[in-house]
Amino acid sequence: MIVSRALGDPRKEQSTQVSTFWVSSQHNAGARGRRPAVFRMAEWDADLDHIIPSSILPPLWAKLLVGFVSLVCFARSYDGDFVFDDSEAIVNNKDLRAETPLGDLWHHDFWGNQLSSNTSHKSYRPLTVLVFRMNCYLSGGFHPLSFHVVNILLHSGISILLVDVFSVLFGGLQYTSKGRRLNLAPRSSLLAALLFAVHPVHTECVAAVVGCADLLAALFFLLSFLGYCKALRETNKEGTQSTFWVLLSILLGAVAMLCKEQGITVLGLNAVFDILVIGKLNVLELVRKVLHKDRSLENTGVLRTEGLLFRMSLLALGGTGVLYVRWKIMGTGPPTFTEVDNPASFASSMLVRAINYNYYYSLNAWLLLCPWWLCFDWSMGCIPLIKSVGDWRVIALAALWFCLIGLICQALCSEDSHKRRILTLGLGLLIIPFLPASNLFFRVGFVVAERVLYLPSAGYCMLLTFGFGVLSKHTKKKKLIAAFVLGILFINTLRCVIRSGEWRNEEQLFRSALSVCPLNAKVHYNVGKNLADKGNQTAAIRYYREAVRLNPKYVHAMNNLGNILKERNELQEAEELLSLAVQIQPDFAAAWMNLGIVQNSLKRFQAAEQSYRTAIKHRRKYPDCYYNLGRLEIGKSWIIWDTLLTLENYGNSDWKQFILQGLIASGRIHSGKSKPC
């Protein structure tokens, strides 16, 4: 005997025959004469039987398949290097070193900088940094292999967990008399999880070590949602147990936020799920009753659902409290970004900002729909600003809103309650986790970032699966649809394998971006830097010049190009570039020091001394510059230099060190190792 109950309905449970499910009359209000929602859902899920064979439907086999496919997609990145941001977040992050107290992790940002600093990006992710530190400790150092393996396993685990999450979102919460949750949409949940597991837009999160933040946040996001579902199951039992699960869900949401900021958005998804699925709110019906002042308004299901207002209050208070604590920890205001990071946010016209923000949304949607053109960085002129409504790219944002409005209308106005629920939850899972990256609440430090689509892509996969089900139901060419779906899975898997290979080292990663974002100055800069590190100065100069051409204010490219020209004894051009760099950014200490080196080579000692002292003014702890300034001072005092050479010839290193310490103490020279920056 199997017993099922519609959670939130005030009536008692009723038993039925095996495989027959009881649904509240409220859920089917206004639908008399039609089949119950669970039967319609089961029929709809059965329409996918030509795509998902019955042999892989048992839960264990389904999860094994999803886990295996996810491993195949990204296994190629397991032996990759630390690339791009990995160096700053891992290798150069002092918080990962054993001598740094663990308590410092709670006062530093993701990159190891003080949160109170004006230069901090306020990316507060202490739990992710703690995971990095544990990885370093267990693997015995900064070995990229262990970091990559963790990321691959995390993605595989998240993909498996999504099988359960999608089964709830598609099929609702139905339980047997023994308390075992029933999966009423096995084909839909499996197909959506497979689409998620093989989506190429996830490559950055999985193949880049810093993507661990997104993976950990997604893991606790999903655990928080499943924990909240536990609270809904206990609604008709003792209130204490239900409250416990709600509080645990809030705690897991806070943990997700401490891994990455967007993790806290799970509380919004929990609220939407509770109101729409458990409360069975019909927005269109509610609006009609409000407009017609219907007296039956107080009988609306959402108002009669037991404990709903209490759970919403807990979610609101918990979310507000967590955000307040995080804001206090940040210490100062929001992070400071430059125009090259997010040019649209610096536009003076509100219309221009709105148009470009919506264009960015359309680009994110396109990456989900067609993830073939992927790039590690989309800033620095990669996406030129739309400055008027006459720009042809306005068509893209118009198409986006046409599709969104169509989906929203179906989600609100459809007579089919099952269709309304799936579309609303799919849109919620797509939009809610994306809100922190939308520029709506605060300025973000990027234009487009593939990593922020990791969680929203789950909502996209849910909507895509629903679309395949609708097509299967209304067409006789089911084999053609099955071939199309399998083709998408195969092509995406192949794309993941190729893209994972591109993320294995910086040379392949940077070069892969040249065809995607040829207008991105940072792409050319990074290719040039990679070539310079390998000693290919001629090719590096070409890419540095292109970076400066694309962005005439790119001071880092000017600095590096000036360094190479200095080494090639092209001193006049090097001085011009470095002088321009410090004019654009007067506090650029490295450029000031390199300018001093060039001026010293040109025998302009007074100007060189002034450049060195300006560099030290902007960076007090700058041993390279202190050393160069010391050498300049020693050059003026040939007697001191001759004494040091004499001591060197006699091999009396103790006396030489004594004199050097005396010079340091007197302020004549400063210690440090010399190298250009």
Side-chain angles (χ1 to χ4, degrees):
M1 183 74 69
I2 296 180
V3 179
S4 176
R5 59 189 170 95
L7 296 175
D9 194 279
R11 299 183 300 175
K12 297 181 179 179
E13 297 179 354
Q14 298 180 8
S15 299
T16 63
Q17 297 298 320
V18 176
S19 300
T20 301
F21 305 96
W22 176 86
V23 185
S24 67
S25 59
Q26 176 190 322
H27 187 71
N28 295 301
R32 297 185 183 278
R34 291 182 293 176
R35 296 186 181 185
V38 285
F39 285 106
R40 297 201 305 276
M41 184 277 303
E43 288 179 353
W44 176 82
D45 188 73
D47 289 328
L48 296 173
D49 59 353
H50 58 286
I51 301 175
I52 304 294
S54 301
S55 58
I56 58 175
L57 288 183
L60 179 60
W61 286 106
K63 292 179 179 180
L64 286 175
L65 175 63
V66 171
F68 174 75
V69 170
S70 65
L71 290 176
V72 169
C73 287
F74 300 105
R76 193 179 178 190
S77 65
Y78 85 98
D79 61 344
D81 301 331
F82 289 126
V83 296
F84 198 39
D85 289 337
D86 295 347
S87 297
E88 289 300 316
I90 308 296
V91 181
N92 299 330
N93 192 341
K94 62 180 181 297
D95 286 342
L96 270 62
R97 305 187 183 279
E99 59 269 18
T100 302
L102 286 174
D104 288 0
L105 272 62
W106 302 95
H107 303 286
H108 293 170
D109 64 15
F110 186 57
W111 313 97
N113 301 316
Q114 284 283 349
L115 278 169
S116 57
S117 171
N118 293 330
T119 60
S120 172
H121 283 183
K122 313 298 182 185
S123 47
Y124 186 60
R125 305 164 194 171
L127 293 186
T128 301
V129 178
L130 182 61
V131 170
F132 287 157
R133 182 159 172 166
M134 291 173 58
N135 200 328
C136 286
Y137 175 78
L138 295 175
S139 61
F142 296 98
H143 305 297
L145 176 65
S146 61
F147 289 89
H148 286 297
V149 169
V150 168
N151 277 18
I152 295 170
L153 293 178
L154 278 173
H155 174 68
S156 181
I158 290 165
S159 301
I160 292 171
L161 198 59
L162 273 169
V163 176
D164 290 330
V165 172
F166 283 134
S167 71
V168 173
L169 295 176
F170 279 113
L173 291 171
Q174 299 289 336
Y175 295 89
T176 66
S177 57
K178 295 183 179 180
R180 181 172 172 268
R181 187 179 59 80
L182 297 170
N183 184 357
L184 301 180
R187 294 175 178 84
S188 304
S189 57
L190 175 56
L191 178 56
L194 284 172
L195 289 169
F196 178 88
V198 304
H199 205 296
V201 82
H202 300 156
T203 310
E204 180 177 355
C205 290
V206 182
V209 173
V210 294
C212 184
D214 300 88
L215 299 172
L216 289 171
L219 176 64
F220 289 106
F221 182 102
L222 300 179
L223 291 175
S224 174
F225 175 76
L226 293 176
Y228 194 78
C229 291
K230 281 277 192 179
L232 300 177
R233 176 188 172 188
E234 303 294 339
T235 296
N236 290 334
K237 297 185 179 182
E238 294 296 329
T240 302
Q241 194 170 5
S242 174
T243 303
F244 167 78
W245 286 108
V246 174
L247 294 176
L248 180 61
S249 175
I250 295 172
L251 177 62
L252 289 171
V255 171
M257 185 193 69
L258 293 176
C259 295
K260 192 170 183 180
E261 295 76 11
Q262 66 185 146
I264 194 64
T265 58
V266 67
L267 302 185
L269 181 66
N270 291 345
V272 170
F273 181 80
D274 199 345
I275 294 171
L276 295 179
V277 177
I278 307 306
K280 300 179 178 64
L281 174 66
N282 185 334
V283 177
L284 182 62
E285 181 182 352
L286 183 63
V287 170
R288 287 173 178 172
K289 288 184 177 182
V290 171
L291 292 177
H292 294 85
K293 299 181 180 180
D294 195 330
R295 293 183 178 181
S296 63
L297 182 62
E298 62 272 13
N299 294 324
T300 302
V302 69
L303 299 178
R304 295 190 296 121
T305 302
E306 182 180 351
L308 177 63
L309 292 178
F310 176 70
R311 294 193 297 274
M312 292 299 101
S313 299
L314 283 180
L315 287 177
L317 290 173
T320 303
V322 169
L323 290 175
Y324 175 76
V325 170
R326 188 186 186 281
W327 183 263
K328 292 292 289 184
I329 292 175
M330 284 171 59
T332 58
T336 302
F337 297 108
T338 62
E339 186 174 354
V340 295
D341 296 322
N342 187 357
S345 64
F346 286 86
S348 57
S349 170
M350 185 176 296
L351 177 63
V352 172
R353 289 200 301 271
I355 291 175
N356 282 277
Y357 287 161
N358 281 275
Y359 181 61
Y360 296 163
Y361 304 157
S362 67
L363 288 177
N364 281 284
W366 181 250
L367 287 177
L368 291 175
L369 185 63
C370 185
W372 203 257
W373 293 275
L374 301 175
C375 184
F376 71 93
D377 186 272
W378 294 82
S379 64
M380 288 263 182
C382 183
I383 305 172
L385 276 180
I386 298 176
K387 298 182 179 179
S388 70
V389 293
D391 194 308
W392 68 269
R393 290 175 293 170
V394 173
I395 298 173
L397 61 97
L400 170 68
W401 280 105
F402 177 80
C403 295
L404 280 179
I405 291 173
L407 289 172
I408 292 171
C409 289
Q410 287 293 311
L412 296 179
C413 304
S414 175
E415 295 294 331
D416 187 343
S417 61
H418 176 64
K419 183 178 181 180
R420 288 199 311 268
R421 187 189 69 196
I422 290 182
L423 287 178
T424 306
L425 291 177
L427 287 170
L429 187 54
L430 172 68
I431 296 172
I432 293 175
F434 183 74
L435 288 177
S438 65
N439 285 291
L440 291 177
F441 305 107
F442 44 81
R443 178 184 292 157
V444 298
F446 52 84
V447 175
V448 174
E450 296 158 21
R451 58 188 177 274
V452 303
L453 294 176
Y454 190 81
L455 271 172
S457 66
Y460 163 77
C461 293
M462 184 176 175
L463 293 174
L464 190 61
T465 300
F466 178 77
F468 288 142
V470 172
L471 284 176
S472 300
K473 184 177 181 180
H474 293 90
T475 184
K476 295 181 180 180
K477 299 181 180 180
K478 298 184 182 295
K479 291 185 178 180
L480 181 61
I481 295 176
F484 180 69
V485 173
L486 293 176
I488 289 177
L489 292 173
F490 174 77
I491 292 174
N492 281 357
T493 301
L494 182 63
R495 179 60 176 140
C496 285
V497 173
I498 295 173
R499 186 62 178 161
S500 295
E502 293 172 347
W503 272 91
R504 293 178 73 245
N505 60 70
E506 288 189 335
E507 181 179 5
Q508 295 183 71
L509 177 64
F510 297 154
R511 288 189 176 276
S512 69
L514 288 172
S515 59
V516 180
C517 288
L519 300 179
N520 189 336
K522 186 182 289 187
V523 169
H524 293 273
Y525 167 82
N526 280 291
V527 173
K529 186 175 184 299
N530 185 262
L531 289 168
D533 291 341
K534 294 182 177 181
N536 190 348
Q537 292 186 342
T538 303
I541 288 175
R542 185 171 68 254
Y543 283 101
Y544 279 142
R545 290 191 189 280
E546 181 64 11
V548 174
R549 186 189 71 81
L550 292 171
N551 184 1
K553 296 183 178 180
Y554 200 171
V555 293
H556 293 283
M558 295 176 187
N559 179 62
N560 288 13
L561 178 57
N563 268 335
I564 294 180
L565 294 174
K566 176 197 66 183
E567 292 174 7
R568 294 164 70 97
N569 207 35
E570 299 178 30
L571 300 178
Q572 292 296 338
E573 186 179 1
E575 184 181 24
E576 292 175 5
L577 282 167
L578 293 168
S579 297
L580 181 58
V582 296
Q583 287 177 21
I584 296 171
Q585 185 176 329
D587 62 346
F588 193 3
W592 276 112
M593 187 193 74
N594 290 325
L595 177 60
I597 295 175
V598 171
Q599 291 167 336
N600 185 64
S601 300
L602 291 169
K603 311 298 184 183
R604 295 170 53 195
F605 302 118
Q606 187 174 357
E609 180 179 356
Q610 183 61 38
S611 295
Y612 288 147
R613 294 191 182 278
T614 305
I616 293 170
K617 173 185 174 183
H618 294 297
R619 189 192 299 181
R620 301 301 300 175
K621 296 180 180 180
Y622 203 171
D624 297 341
C625 195
Y626 280 124
Y627 179 79
N628 290 340
L629 179 58
R631 288 191 61 187
L632 182 63
E633 293 293 334
I634 289 176
K636 296 178 181 179
S637 307
W638 64 270
I639 298 176
I640 298 176
W641 181 246
D642 183 65
T643 302
L644 291 176
L645 287 177
T646 302
L647 291 171
E648 180 69 26
N649 292 333
Y650 278 102
N652 194 338
S653 58
D654 292 337
W655 278 102
K656 182 181 73 171
Q657 186 64 29
F658 176 78
I659 293 178
L660 285 172
Q661 290 175 355
L663 293 171
I664 293 171
S666 65
R668 292 292 303 279
I669 63 171
H670 297 267
S671 60
K673 183 180 179 181
S674 174
K675 64 176 181 179
C677 270

